[in-house]
Amino acid sequence: MKYYISLFQKIKEYYKTQSTNESEVPLICPSLRVYDNEEMNLLLPQLLINENLKGEAYLKKQDMSFQLNSIPSSDKFWDINPSNTLFNAYSKIINTAQIEAEQIEEIENFEANKILYDDKGKATKEKKAYDKYLLLFDKLITEWEEHVAKYSGLTTEDEKQVWLAKLNTILLRKEKAIVDHKLLGHKELIENAMRTINKLDGLDLFLANLMNSRNVMENTAKTGIQSLETFHDINFIPYDFMSNKNGWTKLSIEKKELDELYEIAKIHKDNFPEEIISIDYDEKNIIGIELEFSIVTLQRSWFSLSSLVSNFFKWTEAKSISDGETIHNDFLLPAYPKKMILIKNLKINIDPTLSAELVSNINQLISFGPIIMKSQLFVNSNNNVSFIKAVRNKETLRSSNVKYYNEKVKINKVEKLNTAVKPSVSTPNIAISATRTTMRTKPVFPEKKVLASKPILVNPVLFQPATIAPINTGNLTSIIVNIKDAITKQAIYKSEISIIGNNNAFFKEIESDKEGATELKLPIGNYKIIIIKDGYAAFEEELKIENQNTISKAYFLKPQSVNYDSFFLIGMICEKLPKIPR
């Protein structure tokens, strides 16, 4: 979790240099939240989607919307909270009757109109007098302007004297017209009535916004699932972050900077949950990280913050909406999720002395914070840097196999530099994001251990050497896999292969080499094989291993225009509402 916090701290510092909005608060997401292209596309307005959503797609869209509209319950982290969403809170707020505002509009509008027009809609005598003297004043102003324009054409002193005398007469008439307009034209009375009506335009807009939002909520309740399509639309900015490089920034952080960023985070530890900021591993085998990140704005056409901060808005319920400072469950809507912090193409550069056998140890689970990494060693051919990649297959991540690993996982006993205390440290309980499943209302962490001192923990193997009930590596079967294009029969490089045990808890994620081949070892059992590669249809097949005889498998992928990008949500930028009611 240490360098995961460092990564978040880096992006947080970057964002603060780009934004001047002091109400925006970047909050870390301590749980694994990963979304693919298909899921993100579901949230787009229907006009931007090529085909109509049907059946299960509606349910997925609803679930995705509830996830990304989750209201933060703490100023230390953000996580999925379907029981407390922006939809629920905002619906409750806008459906509270604004009786005072509606009465003000009715009474003041009636009184002002009565001054201007009678019951038949005709102008009152005061309004007629006002219009009469206003017209006379306008004609006088026009006459004055025309007279002034004639001065430049005068040549003799006599002409100028006559011109000046006439100007004085016009000015005297202007003064008289002003007095007549005030006294006989009821100027103050009429203009006060007009100001009242114009002032009510703001009130009209406030009430219209509320009515529009209320109608959306009512239609959602009345018409059922079809109406969810519009309500759960989210406009992304940049809107095309899923399909191209727009909005993505490459980021590379070396070990020295990762350590410095973590120290900065510890200084500001009040900005993080104590349960994760206190996990202080010496992740000695990580030498750096590389990735791309994007900060994506979430715009909702139905959400109007201006209505809530309007001077016309009144709130008399027992539970306050917000206090302008605190993010807490004591408030109905203290803040709302405004921008996602997403990363993709995560690579963890590791110590080059670590062997491929060590990384691929079948009894080991490697993670970067809540992100599970592939147990396969890659080497950059340009600079010979060893690295590992993140598991991004949603079917693997939401499988019971991963859940089993997370429940059984424990951290190997570690050395510490001072020997006063030898604590055992538990890994955080990671919640896996899955479409159409029940989410936790907030991340759940293990019971905090009370330490006599705060030693530096040293890992003997990988960054977080987690083990499960060991599998006898002497009883494994070798599987040789070759992946080719179904049409050209050419090898496919970097195909992503997911192996999920059907009758055991084993899972593995690997990729094919330049020859489209790879070799792996599996215990006896039944497995589901899933192969994906951009530009090819996903391939699935069952694999049964009954003995230790080597198995050779050739898989052929069919070309198809498809992209399997996945995005890890590592934080959410939330905007705190001002104090409401004021």
Side-chain angles (χ1 to χ4, degrees), residues 347-352 354-356 376-389 493-494 514:
K347 295 180 181 179
I348 308 297
N349 297 331
I350 62 175
D351 187 337
L354 296 177
S355 66
Q376 181 180 13
L377 184 66
F378 300 88
V379 179
N380 188 317
S381 59
N382 295 322
N383 55 20
N384 290 323
V385 172
S386 300
F387 64 92
I388 55 177
K389 298 180 181 180
Y493 183 35
K494 292 184 179 179
K514 290 182 178 180

mmCIF file of all heavy atoms in Angstrom, residues 347-352 354-356 376-389 493-494 514:
data_model
loop_
_atom_site.group_PDB
_atom_site.id
_atom_site.type_symbol
_atom_site.label_atom_id
_atom_site.label_comp_id
_atom_site.label_asym_id
_atom_site.label_seq_id
_atom_site.Cartn_x
_atom_site.Cartn_y
_atom_site.Cartn_z
ATOM 1 N N LYS A 347 2.894 -0.393 -14.891
ATOM 2 C CA LYS A 347 4.046 -1.290 -14.874
ATOM 3 C C LYS A 347 4.838 -1.019 -13.598
ATOM 4 O O LYS A 347 5.128 0.138 -13.274
ATOM 5 C CB LYS A 347 4.948 -1.044 -16.089
ATOM 6 C CG LYS A 347 4.321 -1.371 -17.425
ATOM 7 C CD LYS A 347 5.298 -1.089 -18.559
ATOM 8 C CE LYS A 347 4.671 -1.391 -19.919
ATOM 9 N NZ LYS A 347 5.619 -1.091 -21.031
ATOM 10 N N ILE A 348 5.178 -2.071 -12.889
ATOM 11 C CA ILE A 348 6.012 -1.959 -11.691
ATOM 12 C C ILE A 348 7.407 -2.461 -12.057
ATOM 13 O O ILE A 348 7.596 -3.648 -12.343
ATOM 14 C CB ILE A 348 5.439 -2.805 -10.527
ATOM 15 C CG1 ILE A 348 3.963 -2.470 -10.290
ATOM 16 C CG2 ILE A 348 6.268 -2.588 -9.267
ATOM 17 C CD1 ILE A 348 3.701 -1.052 -9.869
ATOM 18 N N ASN A 349 8.367 -1.555 -12.094
ATOM 19 C CA ASN A 349 9.751 -1.939 -12.394
ATOM 20 C C ASN A 349 10.382 -2.530 -11.134
ATOM 21 O O ASN A 349 10.321 -1.930 -10.055
ATOM 22 C CB ASN A 349 10.550 -0.731 -12.868
ATOM 23 C CG ASN A 349 10.005 -0.144 -14.162
ATOM 24 O OD1 ASN A 349 9.435 -0.867 -14.975
ATOM 25 N ND2 ASN A 349 10.165 1.154 -14.352
ATOM 26 N N ILE A 350 10.980 -3.712 -11.269
ATOM 27 C CA ILE A 350 11.479 -4.418 -10.094
ATOM 28 C C ILE A 350 12.979 -4.720 -10.218
ATOM 29 O O ILE A 350 13.569 -4.605 -11.291
ATOM 30 C CB ILE A 350 10.689 -5.724 -9.848
ATOM 31 C CG1 ILE A 350 10.851 -6.687 -11.026
ATOM 32 C CG2 ILE A 350 9.225 -5.418 -9.617
ATOM 33 C CD1 ILE A 350 10.189 -8.037 -10.790
ATOM 34 N N ASP A 351 13.536 -5.083 -9.100
ATOM 35 C CA ASP A 351 14.956 -5.420 -9.004
ATOM 36 C C ASP A 351 15.326 -6.455 -10.078
ATOM 37 O O ASP A 351 14.727 -7.530 -10.142
ATOM 38 C CB ASP A 351 15.221 -5.989 -7.602
ATOM 39 C CG ASP A 351 16.701 -6.211 -7.328
ATOM 40 O OD1 ASP A 351 17.468 -6.342 -8.299
ATOM 41 O OD2 ASP A 351 17.075 -6.265 -6.147
ATOM 42 N N PRO A 352 16.326 -6.150 -10.936
ATOM 43 C CA PRO A 352 16.681 -7.074 -12.025
ATOM 44 C C PRO A 352 17.263 -8.406 -11.540
ATOM 45 O O PRO A 352 17.347 -9.361 -12.316
ATOM 46 C CB PRO A 352 17.717 -6.282 -12.832
ATOM 47 C CG PRO A 352 18.265 -5.279 -11.870
ATOM 48 C CD PRO A 352 17.127 -4.921 -10.972
ATOM 49 N N LEU A 354 15.855 -10.306 -9.372
ATOM 50 C CA LEU A 354 14.755 -11.236 -9.087
ATOM 51 C C LEU A 354 14.519 -12.129 -10.297
ATOM 52 O O LEU A 354 14.421 -11.656 -11.429
ATOM 53 C CB LEU A 354 13.478 -10.477 -8.743
ATOM 54 C CG LEU A 354 13.510 -9.627 -7.468
ATOM 55 C CD1 LEU A 354 12.199 -8.875 -7.309
ATOM 56 C CD2 LEU A 354 13.782 -10.486 -6.255
ATOM 57 N N SER A 355 14.395 -13.416 -10.066
ATOM 58 C CA SER A 355 14.246 -14.374 -11.160
ATOM 59 C C SER A 355 12.787 -14.507 -11.587
ATOM 60 O O SER A 355 11.860 -14.207 -10.828
ATOM 61 C CB SER A 355 14.773 -15.742 -10.729
ATOM 62 O OG SER A 355 13.961 -16.275 -9.693
ATOM 63 N N ALA A 356 12.605 -14.994 -12.816
ATOM 64 C CA ALA A 356 11.254 -15.239 -13.330
ATOM 65 C C ALA A 356 10.554 -16.308 -12.498
ATOM 66 O O ALA A 356 9.339 -16.266 -12.291
ATOM 67 C CB ALA A 356 11.331 -15.667 -14.790
ATOM 68 N N GLN A 376 4.062 -12.836 -13.648
ATOM 69 C CA GLN A 376 4.879 -13.093 -14.824
ATOM 70 C C GLN A 376 5.881 -11.967 -14.973
ATOM 71 O O GLN A 376 5.530 -10.787 -14.890
ATOM 72 C CB GLN A 376 4.009 -13.194 -16.088
ATOM 73 C CG GLN A 376 4.797 -13.474 -17.354
ATOM 74 C CD GLN A 376 3.903 -13.557 -18.579
ATOM 75 O OE1 GLN A 376 2.738 -13.175 -18.549
ATOM 76 N NE2 GLN A 376 4.439 -14.059 -19.690
ATOM 77 N N LEU A 377 7.141 -12.304 -15.198
ATOM 78 C CA LEU A 377 8.210 -11.323 -15.339
ATOM 79 C C LEU A 377 8.334 -10.901 -16.801
ATOM 80 O O LEU A 377 8.422 -11.738 -17.700
ATOM 81 C CB LEU A 377 9.540 -11.898 -14.853
ATOM 82 C CG LEU A 377 10.736 -10.935 -14.856
ATOM 83 C CD1 LEU A 377 10.525 -9.821 -13.841
ATOM 84 C CD2 LEU A 377 12.024 -11.683 -14.552
ATOM 85 N N PHE A 378 8.321 -9.584 -17.023
ATOM 86 C CA PHE A 378 8.537 -9.031 -18.357
ATOM 87 C C PHE A 378 9.862 -8.266 -18.357
ATOM 88 O O PHE A 378 10.282 -7.733 -17.320
ATOM 89 C CB PHE A 378 7.410 -8.076 -18.745
ATOM 90 C CG PHE A 378 6.046 -8.715 -18.776
ATOM 91 C CD1 PHE A 378 5.268 -8.772 -17.626
ATOM 92 C CD2 PHE A 378 5.546 -9.269 -19.937
ATOM 93 C CE1 PHE A 378 4.001 -9.350 -17.644
ATOM 94 C CE2 PHE A 378 4.283 -9.853 -19.971
ATOM 95 C CZ PHE A 378 3.519 -9.903 -18.821
ATOM 96 N N VAL A 379 10.496 -8.186 -19.528
ATOM 97 C CA VAL A 379 11.749 -7.440 -19.649
ATOM 98 C C VAL A 379 11.644 -6.510 -20.844
ATOM 99 O O VAL A 379 11.338 -6.946 -21.962
ATOM 100 C CB VAL A 379 12.963 -8.383 -19.815
ATOM 101 C CG1 VAL A 379 14.247 -7.561 -19.966
ATOM 102 C CG2 VAL A 379 13.075 -9.329 -18.630
ATOM 103 N N ASN A 380 11.871 -5.214 -20.602
ATOM 104 C CA ASN A 380 11.858 -4.215 -21.669
ATOM 105 C C ASN A 380 13.063 -4.438 -22.574
ATOM 106 O O ASN A 380 14.208 -4.359 -22.130
ATOM 107 C CB ASN A 380 11.884 -2.814 -21.066
ATOM 108 C CG ASN A 380 11.668 -1.730 -22.106
ATOM 109 O OD1 ASN A 380 12.217 -1.777 -23.195
ATOM 110 N ND2 ASN A 380 10.880 -0.727 -21.730
ATOM 111 N N SER A 381 12.816 -4.729 -23.842
ATOM 112 C CA SER A 381 13.911 -5.049 -24.770
ATOM 113 C C SER A 381 14.796 -3.846 -25.066
ATOM 114 O O SER A 381 15.936 -4.009 -25.512
ATOM 115 C CB SER A 381 13.328 -5.605 -26.078
ATOM 116 O OG SER A 381 12.462 -4.659 -26.681
ATOM 117 N N ASN A 382 14.296 -2.631 -24.810
ATOM 118 C CA ASN A 382 15.088 -1.434 -25.101
ATOM 119 C C ASN A 382 16.089 -1.103 -24.003
ATOM 120 O O ASN A 382 17.199 -0.642 -24.276
ATOM 121 C CB ASN A 382 14.166 -0.235 -25.329
ATOM 122 C CG ASN A 382 13.300 -0.409 -26.551
ATOM 123 O OD1 ASN A 382 13.743 -0.934 -27.573
ATOM 124 N ND2 ASN A 382 12.042 0.025 -26.455
ATOM 125 N N ASN A 383 15.684 -1.321 -22.741
ATOM 126 C CA ASN A 383 16.577 -0.946 -21.633
ATOM 127 C C ASN A 383 16.822 -2.078 -20.638
ATOM 128 O O ASN A 383 17.474 -1.876 -19.609
ATOM 129 C CB ASN A 383 16.011 0.276 -20.891
ATOM 130 C CG ASN A 383 14.586 0.054 -20.415
ATOM 131 O OD1 ASN A 383 14.124 -1.082 -20.285
ATOM 132 N ND2 ASN A 383 13.867 1.153 -20.155
ATOM 133 N N ASN A 384 16.275 -3.277 -20.942
ATOM 134 C CA ASN A 384 16.468 -4.463 -20.086
ATOM 135 C C ASN A 384 15.906 -4.313 -18.672
ATOM 136 O O ASN A 384 16.335 -5.005 -17.760
ATOM 137 C CB ASN A 384 17.956 -4.837 -20.004
ATOM 138 C CG ASN A 384 18.478 -5.390 -21.318
ATOM 139 O OD1 ASN A 384 17.771 -6.105 -22.021
ATOM 140 N ND2 ASN A 384 19.711 -5.031 -21.661
ATOM 141 N N VAL A 385 14.963 -3.385 -18.491
ATOM 142 C CA VAL A 385 14.331 -3.211 -17.180
ATOM 143 C C VAL A 385 13.294 -4.313 -16.968
ATOM 144 O O VAL A 385 12.445 -4.563 -17.834
ATOM 145 C CB VAL A 385 13.668 -1.824 -17.071
ATOM 146 C CG1 VAL A 385 12.845 -1.717 -15.784
ATOM 147 C CG2 VAL A 385 14.719 -0.722 -17.102
ATOM 148 N N SER A 386 13.356 -4.972 -15.821
ATOM 149 C CA SER A 386 12.379 -6.011 -15.473
ATOM 150 C C SER A 386 11.139 -5.357 -14.864
ATOM 151 O O SER A 386 11.259 -4.417 -14.061
ATOM 152 C CB SER A 386 12.985 -6.995 -14.466
ATOM 153 O OG SER A 386 14.124 -7.629 -15.007
ATOM 154 N N PHE A 387 9.977 -5.848 -15.246
ATOM 155 C CA PHE A 387 8.753 -5.257 -14.703
ATOM 156 C C PHE A 387 7.636 -6.282 -14.686
ATOM 157 O O PHE A 387 7.726 -7.349 -15.312
ATOM 158 C CB PHE A 387 8.346 -4.016 -15.513
ATOM 159 C CG PHE A 387 7.980 -4.289 -16.945
ATOM 160 C CD1 PHE A 387 6.669 -4.542 -17.317
ATOM 161 C CD2 PHE A 387 8.957 -4.291 -17.928
ATOM 162 C CE1 PHE A 387 6.326 -4.791 -18.640
ATOM 163 C CE2 PHE A 387 8.628 -4.528 -19.264
ATOM 164 C CZ PHE A 387 7.314 -4.778 -19.615
ATOM 165 N N ILE A 388 6.583 -5.951 -13.953
ATOM 166 C CA ILE A 388 5.373 -6.767 -13.934
ATOM 167 C C ILE A 388 4.183 -5.875 -14.259
ATOM 168 O O ILE A 388 4.261 -4.648 -14.130
ATOM 169 C CB ILE A 388 5.167 -7.479 -12.577
ATOM 170 C CG1 ILE A 388 5.161 -6.459 -11.438
ATOM 171 C CG2 ILE A 388 6.232 -8.528 -12.349
ATOM 172 C CD1 ILE A 388 4.879 -7.078 -10.085
ATOM 173 N N LYS A 389 3.074 -6.485 -14.690
ATOM 174 C CA LYS A 389 1.886 -5.740 -15.099
ATOM 175 C C LYS A 389 0.706 -6.069 -14.194
ATOM 176 O O LYS A 389 0.709 -7.078 -13.484
ATOM 177 C CB LYS A 389 1.512 -6.075 -16.545
ATOM 178 C CG LYS A 389 2.561 -5.720 -17.585
ATOM 179 C CD LYS A 389 2.049 -6.103 -18.975
ATOM 180 C CE LYS A 389 3.060 -5.797 -20.060
ATOM 181 N NZ LYS A 389 2.541 -6.171 -21.406
ATOM 182 N N TYR A 493 1.293 -11.669 -30.546
ATOM 183 C CA TYR A 493 2.143 -11.219 -29.436
ATOM 184 C C TYR A 493 1.299 -10.513 -28.372
ATOM 185 O O TYR A 493 0.359 -9.804 -28.671
ATOM 186 C CB TYR A 493 3.209 -10.283 -30.003
ATOM 187 C CG TYR A 493 4.233 -9.757 -29.033
ATOM 188 C CD1 TYR A 493 4.703 -10.516 -27.971
ATOM 189 C CD2 TYR A 493 4.764 -8.474 -29.198
ATOM 190 C CE1 TYR A 493 5.661 -10.027 -27.094
ATOM 191 C CE2 TYR A 493 5.726 -7.972 -28.342
ATOM 192 C CZ TYR A 493 6.164 -8.748 -27.284
ATOM 193 O OH TYR A 493 7.119 -8.256 -26.429
ATOM 194 N N LYS A 494 1.631 -10.739 -27.125
ATOM 195 C CA LYS A 494 0.989 -10.075 -25.977
ATOM 196 C C LYS A 494 -0.501 -10.390 -25.858
ATOM 197 O O LYS A 494 -1.295 -9.536 -25.437
ATOM 198 C CB LYS A 494 1.209 -8.565 -26.021
ATOM 199 C CG LYS A 494 2.646 -8.147 -25.807
ATOM 200 C CD LYS A 494 2.781 -6.627 -25.767
ATOM 201 C CE LYS A 494 4.222 -6.210 -25.522
ATOM 202 N NZ LYS A 494 4.401 -4.742 -25.492
ATOM 203 N N LYS A 514 6.643 -13.167 -28.365
ATOM 204 C CA LYS A 514 6.616 -12.747 -29.770
ATOM 205 C C LYS A 514 6.237 -13.890 -30.707
ATOM 206 O O LYS A 514 5.758 -13.653 -31.819
ATOM 207 C CB LYS A 514 7.972 -12.176 -30.167
ATOM 208 C CG LYS A 514 8.275 -10.833 -29.505
ATOM 209 C CD LYS A 514 9.604 -10.271 -29.971
ATOM 210 C CE LYS A 514 9.868 -8.918 -29.331
ATOM 211 N NZ LYS A 514 11.170 -8.346 -29.763
#
